[in-house]
Amino acid sequence: MKALLILEVSRKQDYIFSSNRLKDNARRSQEIAYVTSPAYFIKKASELYSDEKNLVYSGGGHTVLQFETKESAKTFAERITEEAMRDFDGMELYAKICDYRESETPGKNLHMLTSSLEEKKALRKSAFRRSSLGVERLGVETKSPVRIGGEGSGDKKIPGGVEPPDGYEYPAEFEKVAGDDNFIAVVHIDGNSMGARVNGIYEKHKSPGDWEACRESLKQFSDGIQKDFENAFSYAAGKLAEQLSDELSGSSKKLLPIRPIIIAGDDVLYVTSGKYGLETARIFLEKLAETKNEVDGELYAACGGVAIVHTKYPFHRAYELSEELCSSAKRFGVSLRDDGSVSALDWHIEFGQLKDGLGVIREDYETDDGNRLELRPVAVVAPQGTKAPDERTYGYFRELSRIFANGSGAVARSKLKGMRTALKQGEVETEFYLKNTETKEVLGRTFDAKYISEESRFAEFAKALSGKGMDERVAFRRFSGEDKDRCVLFDALETSDHFELIGGDEK
């Protein structure tokens, strides 16, 4: 009887972030991709495995295989898990084997397989992991069979490894990523509704006899996701390289201040200079949104979380924050459209305080009069007809940031920073501050950011003059469906020291 085998690395975060070195984090992520890849299976068990006969699909830190019998699946699992334990100290590799039920649909069989694995993981028994013996020499780097592309290794790219743009190298230390201001951006991006898209493939192969066709579709779908998300990262890295080409042209070793850590299908983590975190995430999401998977023919949508932190900030905490921010962006996207088609972004700049989660952090963004300082999360890409307030889009934030970066008329930069304190105190104190410091003109910039073209600005001015429109030159606004006002200025003001446009000042 045919059997299905699933292999998955568990507790990936613990393994990847067990080191505080960026180079080690990237290498360990690639090790996870490698140990569940066909390349590793062929190297370690070529007499037991071939892509044509055994591979169902591989991606996202796990792999599904098929074997003619349960015994052959067990023999293969024993070989691979033993080899992985020898090669990758501290990695937890789970294996689960289930009989393939010919009377059930392909989708039902695969659901049963993944459910069985989750039950096994919940019990946390039979995890394949080699524990330290406590007698290793300190300070000696463990030799890994994985070499990292982009560091002069000369090895071909392995799964999970994305080469830097031509002529550039990835930095090996966080300090090299951060640059002069010592801030890095930890960016986590996750695809929307991928489970629903997989179920869509299952629905196309509902007959019990459709296994081979379903298997081929799943493999192509998974390969397409990996390729498309890698391409989106490469595109964003390329745009950053274009931005910095003049600045780095005189250097013999051109280090690009960005580095991928995880690209496991639609699960992406990378670090970049703090001031480029938001723009690289925006470019990544926009590139994805114009890319179709070749199997189901649908465009991608994804959400991102950007944690901007000092290089001394605990990296695992920054990663956890980026995950929370990504989840926050997903919830906002679903509030606009529940079909997963909105790509959204959330972010936070951490200035050193360690707090327990995003919920606690966001408590600081409540004004003294009970309103909200932040507009984020914001929509980056949304289908036509999505009813997102203009101010709660990345385009609005970007344009307002561009205007502030280029100066805001007679308003001094010091006064813009002083405005943050007034905004925190609420609407009344903000109005008093604007009048007292003669900075009310800055509110016109929110209007300029919302109505970018001259034609749209003129139309809104005409409405206001005729009494048919509202004067939008206010620091706080109430948006539909909410019970508190939100500040339309604060996000751009707060990020002013940690944000730089990529692609120039074009509107």
Side-chain angles (χ1 to χ4, degrees):
M1 179 183 291
K2 183 165 61 180
L4 298 179
L5 165 65
I6 185 169
L7 292 166
E8 181 174 299
V9 176
S10 182
R11 305 180 69 152
K12 300 179 184 69
Q13 295 179 31
D14 292 347
Y15 184 74
I16 292 172
F17 303 127
S18 60
S19 169
N20 291 323
R21 298 177 60 201
L22 175 58
K23 182 179 178 180
D24 289 344
N25 297 150
R27 174 177 56 80
R28 284 172 172 266
S29 174
Q30 292 188 0
E31 288 172 352
I32 288 174
Y34 183 47
V35 79
T36 55
S37 73
Y40 190 72
F41 304 152
I42 291 172
K43 183 177 181 180
K44 297 296 184 178
S46 59
E47 77 280 12
L48 301 174
Y49 171 86
S50 73
D51 287 353
E52 182 180 353
K53 291 182 179 180
N54 303 113
L55 181 62
V56 179
Y57 70 89
S58 178
H62 71 265
T63 299
V64 175
L65 307 172
Q66 66 172 4
F67 292 86
E68 292 182 358
T69 65
K70 199 167 188 177
E71 290 71 25
S72 59
K74 183 179 179 181
T75 300
F76 176 84
E78 289 174 346
R79 170 79 65 82
I80 291 300
T81 51
E82 180 180 350
E83 292 291 338
M85 289 169 67
R86 297 180 187 277
D87 288 339
F88 306 107
D89 184 24
M91 184 185 293
E92 287 192 6
L93 182 61
Y94 276 82
K96 183 64 182 179
I97 301 170
C98 290
D99 291 324
Y100 186 87
R101 300 180 184 179
E102 299 288 350
S103 60
E104 301 287 357
T105 65
K108 184 67 177 294
N109 274 283
L110 289 166
H111 277 308
M112 287 189 294
L113 179 67
T114 54
S115 295
S116 297
L117 178 67
E118 292 305 314
E119 291 175 4
K120 184 174 184 177
K121 287 164 63 178
L123 295 173
R124 300 213 64 77
K125 292 181 179 179
S126 303
F128 297 95
R129 179 178 182 177
R130 177 163 64 92
S131 299
S132 170
L133 298 177
V135 295
E136 290 86 351
R137 288 177 59 193
L138 296 176
V140 177
E141 184 173 355
T142 303
K143 186 176 180 181
S144 169
V146 172
R147 289 188 177 183
I148 300 175
E151 292 183 331
S153 65
D155 274 16
K156 64 182 181 179
K157 180 169 73 69
I158 64 168
V162 182
E163 299 292 341
D166 290 341
Y168 292 90
E169 294 184 12
Y170 294 133
E173 295 88 27
F174 288 114
E175 290 75 13
K176 297 292 186 182
V177 174
D180 294 337
D181 69 353
N182 293 318
F183 274 78
I184 61 170
V186 181
V187 183
H188 180 224
I189 291 175
D190 189 51
N192 294 350
S193 301
M194 287 301 177
R197 293 174 69 165
V198 170
N199 286 334
I201 294 175
Y202 294 162
E203 284 297 311
K204 291 180 181 179
H205 303 284
K206 291 190 292 187
S207 170
D210 285 345
W211 169 249
E212 286 301 324
C214 182
R215 172 193 169 200
E216 182 62 26
S217 294
L218 288 171
K219 182 180 182 301
Q220 292 181 8
F221 182 68
S222 178
D223 290 347
I225 292 172
Q226 186 69 33
K227 178 194 70 173
D228 294 335
F229 276 70
E230 286 185 357
N231 286 344
F233 175 83
S234 295
Y235 183 78
K239 287 297 182 181
L240 180 58
E242 291 176 13
Q243 178 89 355
L244 300 177
S245 58
D246 292 338
E247 179 181 331
L248 300 176
S249 60
S251 172
S252 58
K253 187 178 181 181
K254 295 190 287 186
L255 292 178
L256 191 63
I258 190 171
R259 176 155 200 157
I261 298 179
I262 300 171
I263 304 183
D266 67 318
D267 183 16
V268 176
L269 177 71
Y270 67 88
V271 294
T272 185
S273 171
K275 60 187 176 183
Y276 296 122
L278 293 175
E279 281 286 86
T280 56
R282 184 263 306 174
I283 293 168
F284 191 113
L285 295 177
E286 289 179 346
K287 181 63 175 177
L288 272 183
E290 61 185 33
T291 304
K292 285 185 179 180
N293 186 283
E294 295 178 358
V295 173
D296 65 6
E298 294 183 17
L299 294 167
Y300 293 102
C303 291
V306 182
I308 302 172
V309 301
H310 194 276
T311 54
K312 301 301 182 183
Y313 192 84
F315 186 71
H316 72 281
R317 295 288 296 269
Y319 171 67
E320 291 170 355
L321 178 56
S322 72
E323 278 196 317
E324 284 195 85
L325 289 162
C326 185
S327 296
S328 171
K330 282 181 175 285
R331 290 191 295 272
F332 177 69
V334 169
S335 74
L336 299 177
R337 294 179 73 104
D338 61 6
D339 58 0
S341 60
V342 174
S343 295
L345 189 64
D346 199 357
W347 66 89
H348 176 69
I349 305 174
E350 185 51 68
F351 296 102
Q353 294 181 336
L354 293 174
K355 295 190 175 181
D356 293 331
L358 184 60
V360 177
I361 289 171
R362 286 280 158 88
E363 289 177 1
D364 291 340
Y365 285 78
E366 183 172 331
T367 63
D368 292 347
D369 59 357
N371 290 313
R372 301 299 307 171
L373 284 171
E374 84 283 5
L375 284 171
R376 56 191 187 267
V378 297
V380 179
V381 182
Q384 189 173 5
T386 303
K387 294 182 179 179
D390 292 332
E391 292 89 343
R392 299 203 68 180
T393 63
Y394 188 86
Y396 170 84
F397 162 78
R398 186 176 192 269
E399 179 63 12
L400 190 58
S401 297
R402 185 194 71 82
I403 292 170
F404 284 164
N406 288 344
S408 54
V411 182
R413 187 173 180 82
S414 60
K415 290 184 178 180
L416 288 177
K417 289 189 174 183
M419 190 184 301
R420 298 180 195 178
T421 302
L423 292 170
K424 171 64 176 172
Q425 292 174 315
E427 294 185 65
V428 174
E429 186 62 30
T430 298
E431 182 70 19
F432 177 78
Y433 178 85
L434 293 173
K435 289 180 179 178
N436 189 51
T437 58
E438 298 180 353
T439 57
K440 189 152 188 175
E441 183 263 349
V442 75
L443 292 180
R445 302 302 179 179
T446 67
F447 197 85
D448 294 344
K450 182 176 179 180
Y451 302 105
I452 297 175
S453 70
E454 294 293 337
E455 294 80 7
S456 62
R457 285 187 206 164
F458 180 81
E460 293 303 315
F461 276 128
K463 284 183 182 180
L465 290 171
S466 66
K468 297 180 180 179
M470 62 177 291
D471 185 2
E472 298 189 38
R473 289 169 177 76
V474 291
F476 289 82
R477 280 198 56 200
R478 179 73 56 90
F479 295 99
S480 176
E482 298 198 349
D483 57 359
K484 295 182 179 181
D485 292 347
R486 288 183 179 270
C487 181
V488 297
L489 288 166
F490 187 80
D491 285 347
L493 290 173
E494 185 187 42
T495 59
S496 59
D497 292 331
H498 301 280
F499 177 84
E500 190 165 324
L501 295 169
I502 295 178
D505 291 349
E506 79 281 358
K507 295 182 179 181

